[in-house]
Amino acid sequence: MLSARSFSNDPIEVMPRDSSYSNQVKGDVALTILGDMPDRREVTPEESARVLCKIDLWIMPVALLIFFLQQLEKSSLSYTSVFGVIEETGLAGSQYSWLNSINYAAQLVWQPITSYLLVRLPIAKYLFFNVLMWGIVVACTSAATNFKGLLAGRFFLGIFGAIATPALVAITQMWWRRREQTMRLSMWMAMGGVAGMIGSLLSYGLAHIHGPLRSYQIIFLFIGLLTVGLSPIILFVLPDSPVKAKFLSRDEKIIALARLRANNQGTESKVWKWDQVGELIVDPKTYLWFLLPFVAAVPYGGISAFGPLIIQGFGFNQFTTILFNIPFNAFQVFITLFSAYLSTRLKLKWPAILGLAIAPVAGSVALLCLGRGPGTRGGLLACYYAVSIPIRTGEDPSDQLLLFELLAIVLHGHP
């Protein structure tokens, strides 16, 4: 969109665009700022750093909050699994597994639709609506007393939660340069581990409350109402694009747009371009990009859904089980941030991705070989942590952090 002389810290030269370029990037909101620029504007490294600092202070906390809330909501079922939701609601056979599967099935069905709406609607307002609604859904799930009620709640949680990751990837592309994106992606994805730690502590405390509501109902109700209460922050703080950022002056908006020139993409467009959809469908790399996250995601389904139950199966009681979930999540925060740091330092993604895949293989073999009994609890717990190295409690593998970063680089901009 804007002219820049290099990807380095050299000054960035911003020039007004002619009508032919305007037609080429039809619909991009950045033209509302750049279209009437009379002269060239050179952006110094100091100005770029100052604007980056403001972006980090305003946008990153909201991104962290969104992913934290989504992971807290999705993990709520695993917390309640050790506090009686299976027994109290009469779940039998594979019904508990279906409660987890229906969430992903809903995401699979709804994500293409919500991605289209993400392009057509103001991103901040659409995000606020979805976060508010998934908070309401989780709060209402506390009223469920049987499999059907829980199934309905998990289905709608998948519908409204499908927006979180694609929206945050789009926001990361919209505000930061490519070389800045890996650490920002890792920071908001590490909130899965933070949500796991805080969620475990909340569940531990809430389960000690004795009253008319059962423990699992209290956990669902508290997490849902917490999300509803925090959701307005998204509406009032997060701008729909750099052009609409109230915390930036007009000159700072120009600088913010100039910084993105290195990405070779637009900022925000409400025009859905079917020719780009066609290119996506016929490109063989599309299916490889689909396969990579799919293969990485298959193993974590069981860990995210049955993690606390697995720990409980080692012979721990329900309160000890939920506390042992805390160091596991802290480990995930470290692994997520370290893998991003390593890939940034090496300027390569594949060594970190490969390294994250080795430990779970060793941990799985050890779990198969170790016996079961009080004397092996420590070893079993250590192997479980090893199996979970690429898993951020909640949903996605840490490997997917690097895959998301690759996708953000290779497939960027708005359709």
Side-chain angles (χ1 to χ4, degrees):
M1 288 207 49
L2 301 168
S3 292
R5 287 190 293 207
S6 72
F7 294 93
S8 66
N9 288 327
D10 294 338
I12 303 170
E13 190 175 59
V14 188
M15 295 179 292
R17 291 295 189 174
D18 57 28
S19 58
S20 62
Y21 186 81
S22 299
N23 292 330
Q24 180 184 347
V25 292
K26 178 183 177 182
D28 198 295
V29 297
L31 293 176
T32 61
I33 293 291
L34 303 174
D36 58 350
M37 282 183 58
D39 301 308
R40 296 183 179 185
R41 167 72 161 85
E42 188 175 86
V43 179
T44 65
E46 292 76 17
E47 289 176 318
S48 177
R50 175 169 51 83
V51 171
L52 174 61
C53 182
K54 294 188 73 171
I55 291 172
D56 284 337
L57 289 175
W58 279 86
I59 306 300
M60 274 306 301
V62 183
L64 299 178
L65 175 66
I66 292 169
F67 205 72
F68 170 82
L69 292 175
Q70 190 216 28
Q71 298 303 300
L72 191 64
E73 305 286 4
K74 288 192 173 182
S75 301
S76 59
L77 183 65
S78 65
Y79 303 143
T80 60
S81 67
V82 297
F83 289 115
V85 70
I86 297 175
E87 297 79 13
E88 296 287 352
T89 59
L91 298 181
S94 61
Q95 288 182 332
Y96 178 77
S97 298
W98 273 109
L99 293 180
N100 290 277
S101 299
I102 194 66
N103 184 277
Y104 298 109
Q107 286 190 41
L108 181 64
V109 172
W110 188 251
Q111 200 153 70
I113 301 173
T114 202
S115 297
Y116 174 79
L117 294 174
L118 186 64
V119 174
R120 300 293 295 176
L121 301 174
I123 188 170
K125 298 174 181 63
Y126 185 52
L127 254 177
F128 160 71
F129 169 77
N130 282 274
V131 174
L132 175 65
M133 290 305 299
W134 84 50
I136 293 173
V137 166
V138 174
C140 291
T141 305
S142 64
T145 57
N146 54 40
F147 172 66
K148 291 181 179 179
L150 291 171
L151 192 70
R154 296 294 293 180
F155 174 80
F156 285 106
L157 180 60
I159 291 291
F160 294 115
I163 187 63
T165 299
L168 288 174
V169 171
I171 288 171
T172 304
Q173 294 175 320
M174 186 187 297
W175 288 93
W176 287 281
R177 302 173 71 177
R178 285 186 186 178
R179 66 185 184 188
E180 301 162 352
Q181 289 177 9
T182 299
M183 289 309 301
R184 271 71 179 183
L185 280 165
S186 70
M187 289 172 66
W188 59 255
M189 293 190 77
M191 293 305 289
V194 176
M197 289 187 286
I198 295 178
S200 297
L201 287 172
L202 286 175
S203 300
Y204 181 87
L206 295 171
H208 282 85
I209 298 176
H210 301 287
L213 296 178
R214 297 178 174 88
S215 294
Y216 82 88
Q217 292 176 312
I218 296 173
I219 293 171
F220 279 138
L221 185 61
F222 182 88
I223 292 176
L225 292 180
L226 177 66
T227 301
V228 171
L230 293 176
S231 61
I233 295 175
I234 302 169
L235 181 64
F236 294 113
V237 177
L238 182 66
D240 292 316
S241 73
V243 173
K244 300 178 181 178
K246 294 182 180 179
F247 63 89
L248 296 177
S249 66
R250 186 180 185 281
D251 191 56
E252 288 172 334
K253 290 175 183 178
I254 293 173
I255 296 172
L257 296 172
R259 298 179 68 259
L260 299 180
R261 175 62 182 89
N263 295 353
N264 292 322
Q265 68 180 58
T267 53
E268 182 192 30
S269 173
K270 298 306 178 188
V271 178
W272 182 270
K273 301 171 184 175
W274 285 106
D275 58 326
Q276 293 187 12
V277 176
E279 292 175 7
L280 189 71
I281 293 174
V282 300
D283 188 349
K285 293 191 293 296
T286 298
Y287 304 97
L288 294 176
W289 286 119
F290 171 82
L291 182 63
L292 282 171
F294 176 80
V295 171
V298 167
Y300 75 67
I303 296 294
S304 64
F306 294 92
L309 291 177
I310 293 173
I311 296 176
Q312 193 173 33
F314 296 156
F316 300 107
N317 64 39
Q318 57 186 3
F319 290 105
T320 304
T321 294
I322 207 70
L323 290 179
F324 271 130
N325 212 36
I326 297 174
F328 161 68
N329 284 279
F331 191 45
Q332 299 313 308
V333 174
F334 169 77
I335 288 295
T336 301
L337 296 176
F338 178 74
S339 62
Y341 170 78
L342 184 64
S343 67
T344 302
R345 292 284 295 179
L346 296 177
K347 301 188 186 313
L348 293 170
K349 302 292 184 295
W350 70 264
I353 294 175
L354 180 62
L356 288 171
I358 292 176
V361 176
S364 298
V365 172
L367 280 175
L368 289 172
C369 297
L370 281 176
R372 299 296 186 268
T376 61
R377 287 181 184 176
L380 290 170
L381 194 62
C383 292
Y384 169 74
Y385 286 174
V387 169
S388 307
I389 277 182
I391 312 291
R392 285 184 301 94
T393 290
E395 302 305 321
D396 304 313
S398 292
D399 273 345
Q400 287 200 26
L401 158 68
L402 304 175
L403 296 177
F404 283 150
E405 161 60 1
L406 284 172
L407 284 168
I409 291 174
V410 177
L411 304 173
H412 51 266
H414 292 261

